[in-house]
Amino acid sequence: MSKNFMKKTLAGIFALVIVASSTPIAPFVSVMNSNSITASAETASETDFDFDASSGTITKYTGTGGDVEIPSKIGGVAVTSIGESAFKSCLNLTSVTIPEGVTSIGDYAFMSCSNLVSVTIPESVTSIGDWAFMSCSSLASVTIPEGVTSIGDHAFMSCSNLASVTIPEGV
């Protein structure tokens, strides 16, 4: 290597060291010393979903997970159903809030979302599909709203931590 190349490389490294050493770390220290971190659900971006506007159906979730609040409209069209396998195997999904206006949760919709802890199902939902929440092993409790008239086969199969399910009389 030439001496000139070495001088430029070392000068670049020194510049990075100077910039890095002048960056304040106080904002990071308070987070690192915190005993708890609070997260809240934010409405997911419309771009986090593949969406069939002709039927109002979410066909695939493409977001990063966490606490997800599904928007009530995508592209100005009302979301009316969560399609088959739409959230299947979303391992980073921890909670989901389904908006009022959704009437059905499709087969396999949330299957194998092993870190899903909570789901909020609105009164507008009338049906939950087969295997909809199968293998959601972190799901602890579910409240089925009054409007639900059918729950598919094995909808909550292999939900090993599911300790409480509230089901209305009409189901």
Side-chain angles (χ1 to χ4, degrees), residues 110-160:
F110 295 93
M111 181 179 178
S112 298
C113 293
S114 59
N115 291 310
L116 182 63
V117 174
S118 69
V119 60
T120 303
I121 303 171
E123 290 293 325
S124 58
V125 169
T126 59
S127 67
I128 298 173
D130 295 339
W131 301 283
F133 294 94
M134 181 179 174
S135 297
C136 291
S137 56
S138 296
L139 196 58
S141 69
V142 175
T143 299
I144 308 295
E146 291 289 328
V148 173
T149 57
S150 69
I151 298 174
D153 291 337
H154 313 289
F156 296 96
M157 182 176 175
S158 299
C159 293
S160 55

Side-chain angles (χ1 to χ4, degrees), residues 44-50 62-63 74:
S45 169
E46 291 183 7
T47 60
D48 288 340
F49 303 94
D50 290 346
T62 59
I74 297 178

Side-chain angles (χ1 to χ4, degrees), residues 60-74:
K60 180 78 177 153
Y61 174 67
T62 59
T64 58
D67 297 333
V68 174
E69 186 175 327
I70 299 170
S72 60
K73 291 184 177 185
I74 297 178

